[in-house]
Amino acid sequence: MRFEFCLPTLGKAVPAGAEWFHEIKNDGYRLRIERDGERVRLITKGGHDWAKHFPWIVEAALKNRTKQFIIDDEAVILVVDGISDFNALHSGRHNGEVQLCAFDVLAIGGEDIRALPLSMRKTNLERLLRGRPDGIFINPFETGAIGPDLFQAACRIGLEGVNRRPNLILQAE
């Protein structure tokens, strides 16, 4: 299976339809975690494996009962107020504190699930990470008309932005 990153695009308005998912955009490094048995890789957009940089994420992935999965995510350092601190992440001095903020699951148990609607993939992600150890958390999301209000709140507290995606099906390559 071949997986490419879905890259965000700049939008001029926040949709509010019932079919839209809205998530806070954390300021971190975009990664894809790939676990296959006892091997965990943290793949960057450039194709590099950063598993050695973020041991807490690798440890958390290895504690999961499911031995094969691929998650689309962001590596972040969260400060006391729960907001990501990109400068701390970028400095490299806190690599042991870097957590994984998961927002989509692409494959489980060797099965490519990108053909499922986003709502079903979110449900699968919740099941996959239920009872998970610290180091990996699910990015909270809201659906429907909350999008514009969530965006305004994100701007007020200085967050990077808001991700918004329709309840879509990803096209496998």
Side-chain angles (χ1 to χ4, degrees), residues 46-97:
H48 303 283
D49 183 359
W50 280 12
K52 66 181 180 194
H53 296 291
F54 305 134
W56 195 16
I57 297 171
V58 172
E59 178 184 321
L62 288 171
K63 288 181 180 177
N64 196 298
R65 290 184 311 268
T66 303
K67 304 293 184 202
Q68 268 189 319
F69 54 83
I70 299 174
I71 300 173
D72 194 6
D73 48 63
E74 191 101 3
V76 297
I77 290 182
L78 299 180
V79 292
V80 176
D81 56 7
I83 295 175
S84 57
D85 183 344
F86 185 77
N87 290 331
L89 176 66
H90 189 66
S91 75
R93 293 180 295 193
H94 308 280
N95 284 353
E97 301 170 38

Side-chain angles (χ1 to χ4, degrees), residues 22-24 141-142 145-155 162-163:
H22 307 278
E23 302 170 296
I24 295 298
F141 65 91
E142 296 290 336
I146 193 170
D149 293 336
L150 183 62
F151 179 71
Q152 292 302 320
C155 291
V162 174
N163 289 327

Side-chain angles (χ1 to χ4, degrees), residues 7-70:
L7 300 177
T9 56
L10 185 61
K12 297 189 186 290
V14 180
E19 73 279 5
W20 288 89
F21 285 71
H22 307 278
E23 302 170 296
I24 295 298
K25 170 68 176 85
N26 287 293
D27 202 359
Y29 293 146
R30 184 73 180 274
L31 295 175
R32 186 177 61 243
I33 187 168
E34 300 178 353
R35 178 174 178 194
D36 187 10
E38 296 305 309
R39 181 178 184 209
V40 175
R41 298 179 346 135
L42 302 177
I43 305 301
T44 67
K45 288 189 292 187
H48 303 283
D49 183 359
W50 280 12
K52 66 181 180 194
H53 296 291
F54 305 134
W56 195 16
I57 297 171
V58 172
E59 178 184 321
L62 288 171
K63 288 181 180 177
N64 196 298
R65 290 184 311 268
T66 303
K67 304 293 184 202
Q68 268 189 319
F69 54 83
I70 299 174

